[in-house]
mmCIF file of all heavy atoms in Angstrom:
data_model
loop_
_atom_site.group_PDB
_atom_site.id
_atom_site.type_symbol
_atom_site.label_atom_id
_atom_site.label_comp_id
_atom_site.label_asym_id
_atom_site.label_seq_id
_atom_site.Cartn_x
_atom_site.Cartn_y
_atom_site.Cartn_z
ATOM 1 N N ILE A 1 -0.498 -52.921 -69.071
ATOM 2 C CA ILE A 1 -1.789 -52.616 -68.569
ATOM 3 C C ILE A 1 -2.605 -51.893 -69.598
ATOM 4 O O ILE A 1 -3.815 -52.241 -69.825
ATOM 5 C CB ILE A 1 -1.678 -51.727 -67.217
ATOM 6 C CG1 ILE A 1 -1.096 -52.490 -66.088
ATOM 7 C CG2 ILE A 1 -3.088 -51.117 -66.883
ATOM 8 C CD1 ILE A 1 -0.740 -51.743 -64.851
ATOM 9 N N ARG A 2 -2.011 -50.977 -70.379
ATOM 10 C CA ARG A 2 -2.707 -50.288 -71.440
ATOM 11 C C ARG A 2 -3.189 -51.331 -72.442
ATOM 12 O O ARG A 2 -4.272 -51.279 -72.994
ATOM 13 C CB ARG A 2 -1.851 -49.270 -72.058
ATOM 14 C CG ARG A 2 -1.670 -47.971 -71.254
ATOM 15 C CD ARG A 2 -0.881 -46.926 -72.030
ATOM 16 N NE ARG A 2 -0.547 -45.784 -71.143
ATOM 17 C CZ ARG A 2 0.568 -45.650 -70.439
ATOM 18 N NH1 ARG A 2 1.528 -46.557 -70.576
ATOM 19 N NH2 ARG A 2 0.711 -44.622 -69.661
ATOM 20 N N GLU A 3 -2.326 -52.225 -72.805
ATOM 21 C CA GLU A 3 -2.637 -53.201 -73.828
ATOM 22 C C GLU A 3 -3.703 -54.189 -73.377
ATOM 23 O O GLU A 3 -4.652 -54.452 -74.086
ATOM 24 C CB GLU A 3 -1.323 -53.961 -74.168
ATOM 25 C CG GLU A 3 -1.479 -54.801 -75.433
ATOM 26 C CD GLU A 3 -0.169 -55.418 -75.921
ATOM 27 O OE1 GLU A 3 0.915 -55.072 -75.371
ATOM 28 O OE2 GLU A 3 -0.192 -56.258 -76.836
ATOM 29 N N ILE A 4 -3.600 -54.702 -72.196
ATOM 30 C CA ILE A 4 -4.555 -55.743 -71.713
ATOM 31 C C ILE A 4 -5.929 -55.088 -71.496
ATOM 32 O O ILE A 4 -6.962 -55.750 -71.580
ATOM 33 C CB ILE A 4 -4.062 -56.477 -70.487
ATOM 34 C CG1 ILE A 4 -4.784 -57.791 -70.359
ATOM 35 C CG2 ILE A 4 -4.216 -55.681 -69.186
ATOM 36 C CD1 ILE A 4 -4.320 -58.871 -71.277
ATOM 37 N N SER A 5 -5.913 -53.804 -71.160
ATOM 38 C CA SER A 5 -7.236 -53.109 -70.889
ATOM 39 C C SER A 5 -8.097 -53.011 -72.126
ATOM 40 O O SER A 5 -9.278 -52.667 -72.024
ATOM 41 C CB SER A 5 -6.969 -51.726 -70.293
ATOM 42 O OG SER A 5 -6.488 -50.865 -71.267
ATOM 43 N N GLN A 6 -7.525 -53.263 -73.300
ATOM 44 C CA GLN A 6 -8.357 -53.303 -74.523
ATOM 45 C C GLN A 6 -9.201 -54.576 -74.612
ATOM 46 O O GLN A 6 -10.102 -54.633 -75.378
ATOM 47 C CB GLN A 6 -7.426 -53.193 -75.711
ATOM 48 C CG GLN A 6 -6.664 -51.888 -75.799
ATOM 49 C CD GLN A 6 -5.643 -51.876 -76.955
ATOM 50 O OE1 GLN A 6 -5.862 -52.516 -77.972
ATOM 51 N NE2 GLN A 6 -4.607 -51.140 -76.707
ATOM 52 N N HIS A 7 -8.892 -55.567 -73.745
ATOM 53 C CA HIS A 7 -9.571 -56.817 -73.696
ATOM 54 C C HIS A 7 -10.264 -57.108 -72.396
ATOM 55 O O HIS A 7 -11.291 -57.832 -72.386
ATOM 56 C CB HIS A 7 -8.555 -57.975 -74.029
ATOM 57 C CG HIS A 7 -7.732 -57.734 -75.226
ATOM 58 N ND1 HIS A 7 -8.220 -57.995 -76.469
ATOM 59 C CD2 HIS A 7 -6.454 -57.285 -75.374
ATOM 60 C CE1 HIS A 7 -7.280 -57.648 -77.370
ATOM 61 N NE2 HIS A 7 -6.206 -57.246 -76.702
ATOM 62 N N LEU A 8 -9.721 -56.639 -71.307
ATOM 63 C CA LEU A 8 -10.186 -56.946 -69.941
ATOM 64 C C LEU A 8 -10.374 -55.677 -69.125
ATOM 65 O O LEU A 8 -9.576 -54.766 -69.320
ATOM 66 C CB LEU A 8 -9.288 -57.887 -69.230
ATOM 67 C CG LEU A 8 -8.851 -59.182 -69.889
ATOM 68 C CD1 LEU A 8 -7.820 -59.887 -69.072
ATOM 69 C CD2 LEU A 8 -10.066 -60.091 -70.079
ATOM 70 N N SER A 9 -11.341 -55.655 -68.207
ATOM 71 C CA SER A 9 -11.336 -54.583 -67.255
ATOM 72 C C SER A 9 -10.231 -54.898 -66.254
ATOM 73 O O SER A 9 -9.999 -56.073 -65.935
ATOM 74 C CB SER A 9 -12.716 -54.456 -66.567
ATOM 75 O OG SER A 9 -12.895 -55.602 -65.724
ATOM 76 N N VAL A 10 -9.541 -53.918 -65.734
ATOM 77 C CA VAL A 10 -8.395 -54.130 -64.887
ATOM 78 C C VAL A 10 -8.636 -53.463 -63.513
ATOM 79 O O VAL A 10 -8.922 -52.263 -63.411
ATOM 80 C CB VAL A 10 -7.091 -53.486 -65.481
ATOM 81 C CG1 VAL A 10 -5.913 -53.712 -64.544
ATOM 82 C CG2 VAL A 10 -6.831 -54.127 -66.845
ATOM 83 N N ASP A 11 -8.585 -54.285 -62.477
ATOM 84 C CA ASP A 11 -8.693 -53.800 -61.071
ATOM 85 C C ASP A 11 -7.465 -54.144 -60.312
ATOM 86 O O ASP A 11 -6.974 -55.281 -60.368
ATOM 87 C CB ASP A 11 -9.883 -54.498 -60.359
ATOM 88 C CG ASP A 11 -11.230 -53.881 -60.763
ATOM 89 O OD1 ASP A 11 -11.530 -52.776 -60.237
ATOM 90 O OD2 ASP A 11 -11.907 -54.460 -61.589
ATOM 91 N N ILE A 12 -6.923 -53.150 -59.659
ATOM 92 C CA ILE A 12 -5.761 -53.315 -58.762
ATOM 93 C C ILE A 12 -6.209 -53.340 -57.325
ATOM 94 O O ILE A 12 -6.854 -52.292 -56.888
ATOM 95 C CB ILE A 12 -4.710 -52.301 -59.042
ATOM 96 C CG1 ILE A 12 -4.470 -52.026 -60.511
ATOM 97 C CG2 ILE A 12 -3.424 -52.576 -58.244
ATOM 98 C CD1 ILE A 12 -3.925 -53.281 -61.291
ATOM 99 N N LEU A 13 -5.862 -54.330 -56.563
ATOM 100 C CA LEU A 13 -6.246 -54.374 -55.158
ATOM 101 C C LEU A 13 -4.909 -54.256 -54.321
ATOM 102 O O LEU A 13 -3.989 -54.997 -54.572
ATOM 103 C CB LEU A 13 -6.889 -55.760 -54.804
ATOM 104 C CG LEU A 13 -8.103 -56.179 -55.611
ATOM 105 C CD1 LEU A 13 -8.597 -57.570 -55.102
ATOM 106 C CD2 LEU A 13 -9.208 -55.128 -55.575
ATOM 107 N N THR A 14 -4.899 -53.332 -53.397
ATOM 108 C CA THR A 14 -3.635 -53.091 -52.725
ATOM 109 C C THR A 14 -3.832 -52.522 -51.337
ATOM 110 O O THR A 14 -4.753 -51.712 -51.111
ATOM 111 C CB THR A 14 -2.704 -52.236 -53.521
ATOM 112 O OG1 THR A 14 -1.426 -52.077 -52.830
ATOM 113 C CG2 THR A 14 -3.249 -50.839 -53.768
ATOM 114 N N ALA A 15 -2.961 -52.923 -50.377
ATOM 115 C CA ALA A 15 -2.909 -52.264 -49.103
ATOM 116 C C ALA A 15 -1.914 -51.155 -49.215
ATOM 117 O O ALA A 15 -1.728 -50.312 -48.318
ATOM 118 C CB ALA A 15 -2.435 -53.285 -48.023
ATOM 119 N N ASP A 16 -1.233 -51.022 -50.377
ATOM 120 C CA ASP A 16 -0.365 -49.951 -50.709
ATOM 121 C C ASP A 16 0.769 -49.735 -49.692
ATOM 122 O O ASP A 16 0.941 -48.673 -49.107
ATOM 123 C CB ASP A 16 -1.122 -48.655 -50.896
ATOM 124 C CG ASP A 16 -0.445 -47.652 -51.806
ATOM 125 O OD1 ASP A 16 0.604 -47.975 -52.384
ATOM 126 O OD2 ASP A 16 -0.892 -46.477 -51.824
ATOM 127 N N THR A 17 1.586 -50.764 -49.478
ATOM 128 C CA THR A 17 2.630 -50.756 -48.505
ATOM 129 C C THR A 17 3.516 -49.511 -48.601
ATOM 130 O O THR A 17 3.970 -48.939 -47.645
ATOM 131 C CB THR A 17 3.472 -52.085 -48.676
ATOM 132 O OG1 THR A 17 2.636 -53.168 -48.521
ATOM 133 C CG2 THR A 17 4.580 -52.126 -47.679
ATOM 134 N N PHE A 18 3.881 -49.133 -49.853
ATOM 135 C CA PHE A 18 4.782 -48.037 -50.070
ATOM 136 C C PHE A 18 4.110 -46.729 -50.289
ATOM 137 O O PHE A 18 4.735 -45.675 -50.529
ATOM 138 C CB PHE A 18 5.685 -48.343 -51.250
ATOM 139 C CG PHE A 18 6.700 -49.542 -51.035
ATOM 140 C CD1 PHE A 18 6.338 -50.784 -51.380
ATOM 141 C CD2 PHE A 18 7.865 -49.280 -50.404
ATOM 142 C CE1 PHE A 18 7.133 -51.831 -51.177
ATOM 143 C CE2 PHE A 18 8.726 -50.291 -50.211
ATOM 144 C CZ PHE A 18 8.434 -51.609 -50.584
ATOM 145 N N LYS A 19 2.742 -46.717 -50.264
ATOM 146 C CA LYS A 19 1.955 -45.482 -50.438
ATOM 147 C C LYS A 19 2.237 -44.855 -51.807
ATOM 148 O O LYS A 19 2.253 -43.583 -51.900
ATOM 149 C CB LYS A 19 2.175 -44.490 -49.293
ATOM 150 C CG LYS A 19 1.979 -45.060 -47.948
ATOM 151 C CD LYS A 19 0.527 -45.523 -47.763
ATOM 152 C CE LYS A 19 0.235 -46.013 -46.358
ATOM 153 N NZ LYS A 19 -0.430 -47.259 -46.275
ATOM 154 N N THR A 20 2.416 -45.626 -52.805
ATOM 155 C CA THR A 20 2.728 -45.096 -54.187
ATOM 156 C C THR A 20 1.758 -45.558 -55.228
ATOM 157 O O THR A 20 1.839 -45.085 -56.351
ATOM 158 C CB THR A 20 4.140 -45.577 -54.565
ATOM 159 O OG1 THR A 20 4.140 -47.015 -54.658
ATOM 160 C CG2 THR A 20 5.212 -45.079 -53.698
ATOM 161 N N ALA A 21 0.785 -46.456 -54.931
ATOM 162 C CA ALA A 21 -0.054 -47.060 -55.925
ATOM 163 C C ALA A 21 -0.855 -46.019 -56.750
ATOM 164 O O ALA A 21 -0.841 -46.089 -57.950
ATOM 165 C CB ALA A 21 -0.977 -48.032 -55.312
ATOM 166 N N LEU A 22 -1.412 -45.020 -56.076
ATOM 167 C CA LEU A 22 -2.211 -44.081 -56.775
ATOM 168 C C LEU A 22 -1.387 -43.241 -57.758
ATOM 169 O O LEU A 22 -1.751 -43.026 -58.918
ATOM 170 C CB LEU A 22 -2.973 -43.139 -55.824
ATOM 171 C CG LEU A 22 -4.114 -43.788 -55.053
ATOM 172 C CD1 LEU A 22 -4.691 -42.849 -53.995
ATOM 173 C CD2 LEU A 22 -5.188 -44.320 -55.980
ATOM 174 N N SER A 23 -0.230 -42.721 -57.321
ATOM 175 C CA SER A 23 0.596 -41.985 -58.159
ATOM 176 C C SER A 23 1.209 -42.865 -59.270
ATOM 177 O O SER A 23 1.310 -42.398 -60.450
ATOM 178 C CB SER A 23 1.667 -41.237 -57.378
ATOM 179 O OG SER A 23 2.524 -42.181 -56.759
ATOM 180 N N GLU A 24 1.622 -44.034 -59.002
ATOM 181 C CA GLU A 24 2.249 -44.904 -59.982
ATOM 182 C C GLU A 24 1.247 -45.370 -61.086
ATOM 183 O O GLU A 24 1.646 -45.562 -62.249
ATOM 184 C CB GLU A 24 2.914 -46.126 -59.350
ATOM 185 C CG GLU A 24 4.146 -45.831 -58.561
ATOM 186 C CD GLU A 24 5.324 -45.338 -59.437
ATOM 187 O OE1 GLU A 24 5.642 -45.983 -60.422
ATOM 188 O OE2 GLU A 24 5.823 -44.304 -59.143
ATOM 189 N N LEU A 25 -0.031 -45.526 -60.726
ATOM 190 C CA LEU A 25 -1.004 -46.023 -61.669
ATOM 191 C C LEU A 25 -1.859 -44.891 -62.261
ATOM 192 O O LEU A 25 -2.745 -45.122 -63.065
ATOM 193 C CB LEU A 25 -1.931 -47.011 -60.950
ATOM 194 C CG LEU A 25 -1.249 -48.301 -60.469
ATOM 195 C CD1 LEU A 25 -2.081 -49.039 -59.510
ATOM 196 C CD2 LEU A 25 -0.922 -49.167 -61.689
ATOM 197 N N GLU A 26 -1.586 -43.677 -61.897
ATOM 198 C CA GLU A 26 -2.334 -42.510 -62.379
ATOM 199 C C GLU A 26 -2.278 -42.451 -63.909
ATOM 200 O O GLU A 26 -1.245 -42.565 -64.558
ATOM 201 C CB GLU A 26 -1.754 -41.234 -61.829
ATOM 202 C CG GLU A 26 -2.585 -40.003 -62.142
ATOM 203 C CD GLU A 26 -2.017 -38.740 -61.510
ATOM 204 O OE1 GLU A 26 -0.986 -38.743 -60.914
ATOM 205 O OE2 GLU A 26 -2.699 -37.668 -61.673
ATOM 206 N N GLY A 27 -3.454 -42.304 -64.495
ATOM 207 C CA GLY A 27 -3.585 -42.142 -65.938
ATOM 208 C C GLY A 27 -3.696 -43.456 -66.644
ATOM 209 O O GLY A 27 -3.891 -43.474 -67.876
ATOM 210 N N LEU A 28 -3.542 -44.573 -65.964
ATOM 211 C CA LEU A 28 -3.634 -45.878 -66.609
ATOM 212 C C LEU A 28 -5.099 -46.326 -66.566
ATOM 213 O O LEU A 28 -5.848 -46.013 -65.686
ATOM 214 C CB LEU A 28 -2.746 -46.890 -65.939
ATOM 215 C CG LEU A 28 -1.252 -46.643 -66.064
ATOM 216 C CD1 LEU A 28 -0.453 -47.664 -65.248
ATOM 217 C CD2 LEU A 28 -0.835 -46.774 -67.589
ATOM 218 N N PRO A 29 -5.480 -47.154 -67.588
ATOM 219 C CA PRO A 29 -6.848 -47.630 -67.689
ATOM 220 C C PRO A 29 -7.128 -48.766 -66.692
ATOM 221 O O PRO A 29 -7.274 -49.952 -67.055
ATOM 222 C CB PRO A 29 -7.050 -48.090 -69.103
ATOM 223 C CG PRO A 29 -5.633 -48.486 -69.483
ATOM 224 C CD PRO A 29 -4.697 -47.585 -68.766
ATOM 225 N N CYS A 30 -7.199 -48.454 -65.428
ATOM 226 C CA CYS A 30 -7.438 -49.398 -64.397
ATOM 227 C C CYS A 30 -8.095 -48.752 -63.183
ATOM 228 O O CYS A 30 -8.056 -47.524 -63.132
ATOM 229 C CB CYS A 30 -6.140 -50.113 -63.940
ATOM 230 S SG CYS A 30 -4.930 -49.034 -63.147
ATOM 231 N N THR A 31 -8.754 -49.525 -62.354
ATOM 232 C CA THR A 31 -9.345 -49.015 -61.138
ATOM 233 C C THR A 31 -8.473 -49.447 -59.947
ATOM 234 O O THR A 31 -8.212 -50.687 -59.868
ATOM 235 C CB THR A 31 -10.772 -49.589 -60.960
ATOM 236 O OG1 THR A 31 -11.504 -49.198 -62.130
ATOM 237 C CG2 THR A 31 -11.441 -49.049 -59.694
ATOM 238 N N VAL A 32 -8.033 -48.539 -59.140
ATOM 239 C CA VAL A 32 -7.231 -48.830 -57.982
ATOM 240 C C VAL A 32 -8.111 -48.972 -56.751
ATOM 241 O O VAL A 32 -8.875 -48.015 -56.468
ATOM 242 C CB VAL A 32 -6.128 -47.770 -57.780
ATOM 243 C CG1 VAL A 32 -5.271 -48.145 -56.556
ATOM 244 C CG2 VAL A 32 -5.303 -47.587 -59.040
ATOM 245 N N ASN A 33 -8.078 -50.097 -56.114
ATOM 246 C CA ASN A 33 -8.898 -50.304 -54.895
ATOM 247 C C ASN A 33 -7.941 -50.424 -53.701
ATOM 248 O O ASN A 33 -7.258 -51.403 -53.507
ATOM 249 C CB ASN A 33 -9.661 -51.657 -55.076
ATOM 250 C CG ASN A 33 -10.529 -51.596 -56.236
ATOM 251 O OD1 ASN A 33 -11.653 -51.176 -56.167
ATOM 252 N ND2 ASN A 33 -10.066 -52.139 -57.388
ATOM 253 N N LEU A 34 -7.896 -49.329 -52.961
ATOM 254 C CA LEU A 34 -7.116 -49.329 -51.711
ATOM 255 C C LEU A 34 -7.845 -50.066 -50.589
ATOM 256 O O LEU A 34 -8.985 -49.758 -50.283
ATOM 257 C CB LEU A 34 -6.797 -47.836 -51.273
ATOM 258 C CG LEU A 34 -6.017 -46.973 -52.323
ATOM 259 C CD1 LEU A 34 -5.919 -45.574 -51.765
ATOM 260 C CD2 LEU A 34 -4.632 -47.620 -52.592
ATOM 261 N N LEU A 35 -7.118 -50.982 -50.023
ATOM 262 C CA LEU A 35 -7.829 -51.842 -49.041
ATOM 263 C C LEU A 35 -7.593 -51.390 -47.585
ATOM 264 O O LEU A 35 -7.776 -52.163 -46.678
ATOM 265 C CB LEU A 35 -7.328 -53.299 -49.250
ATOM 266 C CG LEU A 35 -7.644 -53.923 -50.599
ATOM 267 C CD1 LEU A 35 -7.079 -55.321 -50.699
ATOM 268 C CD2 LEU A 35 -9.156 -53.931 -50.829
ATOM 269 N N GLY A 36 -7.125 -50.167 -47.423
ATOM 270 C CA GLY A 36 -7.068 -49.619 -46.070
ATOM 271 C C GLY A 36 -5.754 -49.905 -45.376
ATOM 272 O O GLY A 36 -4.899 -50.624 -45.844
ATOM 273 N N ASN A 37 -5.635 -49.308 -44.213
ATOM 274 C CA ASN A 37 -4.395 -49.393 -43.418
ATOM 275 C C ASN A 37 -4.279 -50.743 -42.677
ATOM 276 O O ASN A 37 -3.238 -51.120 -42.301
ATOM 277 C CB ASN A 37 -4.334 -48.234 -42.390
ATOM 278 C CG ASN A 37 -4.224 -46.934 -43.188
ATOM 279 O OD1 ASN A 37 -3.681 -46.842 -44.228
ATOM 280 N ND2 ASN A 37 -4.748 -45.867 -42.512
ATOM 281 N N SER A 38 -5.400 -51.406 -42.437
ATOM 282 C CA SER A 38 -5.377 -52.644 -41.744
ATOM 283 C C SER A 38 -4.963 -53.803 -42.661
ATOM 284 O O SER A 38 -5.533 -53.962 -43.742
ATOM 285 C CB SER A 38 -6.785 -52.944 -41.138
ATOM 286 O OG SER A 38 -6.756 -54.208 -40.640
ATOM 287 N N PHE A 39 -3.998 -54.535 -42.248
ATOM 288 C CA PHE A 39 -3.541 -55.672 -43.058
ATOM 289 C C PHE A 39 -4.290 -56.939 -42.676
ATOM 290 O O PHE A 39 -4.006 -58.035 -43.204
ATOM 291 C CB PHE A 39 -1.999 -55.859 -42.890
ATOM 292 C CG PHE A 39 -1.221 -54.748 -43.501
ATOM 293 C CD1 PHE A 39 -0.665 -53.776 -42.700
ATOM 294 C CD2 PHE A 39 -1.058 -54.686 -44.863
ATOM 295 C CE1 PHE A 39 0.015 -52.737 -43.290
ATOM 296 C CE2 PHE A 39 -0.373 -53.636 -45.461
ATOM 297 C CZ PHE A 39 0.180 -52.640 -44.636
ATOM 298 N N THR A 40 -5.281 -56.798 -41.811
ATOM 299 C CA THR A 40 -6.097 -57.923 -41.334
ATOM 300 C C THR A 40 -7.012 -58.390 -42.418
ATOM 301 O O THR A 40 -7.696 -57.649 -43.066
ATOM 302 C CB THR A 40 -6.897 -57.517 -40.076
ATOM 303 O OG1 THR A 40 -6.059 -56.981 -39.148
ATOM 304 C CG2 THR A 40 -7.659 -58.779 -39.543
ATOM 305 N N ASN A 41 -7.016 -59.728 -42.684
ATOM 306 C CA ASN A 41 -7.958 -60.370 -43.611
ATOM 307 C C ASN A 41 -7.809 -59.847 -45.025
ATOM 308 O O ASN A 41 -8.796 -59.849 -45.783
ATOM 309 C CB ASN A 41 -9.358 -60.244 -43.163
ATOM 310 C CG ASN A 41 -9.614 -60.983 -41.830
ATOM 311 O OD1 ASN A 41 -9.019 -62.015 -41.592
ATOM 312 N ND2 ASN A 41 -10.444 -60.404 -40.981
ATOM 313 N N LEU A 42 -6.654 -59.384 -45.442
ATOM 314 C CA LEU A 42 -6.446 -58.955 -46.814
ATOM 315 C C LEU A 42 -6.795 -60.036 -47.819
ATOM 316 O O LEU A 42 -7.457 -59.808 -48.832
ATOM 317 C CB LEU A 42 -5.011 -58.461 -47.095
ATOM 318 C CG LEU A 42 -4.660 -57.059 -46.660
ATOM 319 C CD1 LEU A 42 -3.229 -56.776 -46.932
ATOM 320 C CD2 LEU A 42 -5.535 -56.069 -47.379
ATOM 321 N N ASP A 43 -6.375 -61.277 -47.504
ATOM 322 C CA ASP A 43 -6.620 -62.414 -48.410
ATOM 323 C C ASP A 43 -8.120 -62.639 -48.555
ATOM 324 O O ASP A 43 -8.610 -62.851 -49.688
ATOM 325 C CB ASP A 43 -5.895 -63.588 -48.020
ATOM 326 C CG ASP A 43 -6.177 -64.082 -46.591
ATOM 327 O OD1 ASP A 43 -6.705 -63.334 -45.784
ATOM 328 O OD2 ASP A 43 -5.885 -65.317 -46.315
ATOM 329 N N ALA A 44 -8.895 -62.527 -47.487
ATOM 330 C CA ALA A 44 -10.350 -62.740 -47.556
ATOM 331 C C ALA A 44 -11.030 -61.574 -48.333
ATOM 332 O O ALA A 44 -11.944 -61.783 -49.071
ATOM 333 C CB ALA A 44 -10.928 -62.846 -46.176
#
């Protein structure tokens, strides 16, 4: 992620099933987009 972020902007989209995304991605050059507790229409 650190390496690719030198070339591309990085966005992470997640419903965060394990509730760990924010802590696991903390300090990395990416934007974490939490898609909420509802699993409805995640693909859309």
Side-chain angles (χ1 to χ4, degrees):
I1 290 172
R2 284 185 188 95
E3 192 173 352
I4 202 73
S5 72
Q6 295 174 32
H7 307 282
L8 305 174
S9 68
V10 180
D11 281 282
I12 311 302
L13 307 181
T14 183
D16 203 11
T17 304
F18 293 93
K19 305 298 183 226
T20 59
L22 290 175
S23 61
E24 289 294 308
L25 294 164
E26 186 177 6
L28 292 175
C30 63
T31 303
V32 181
N33 300 274
L34 298 176
L35 299 178
N37 296 330
S38 170
F39 292 102
T40 307
N41 296 324
L42 278 178
D43 57 342

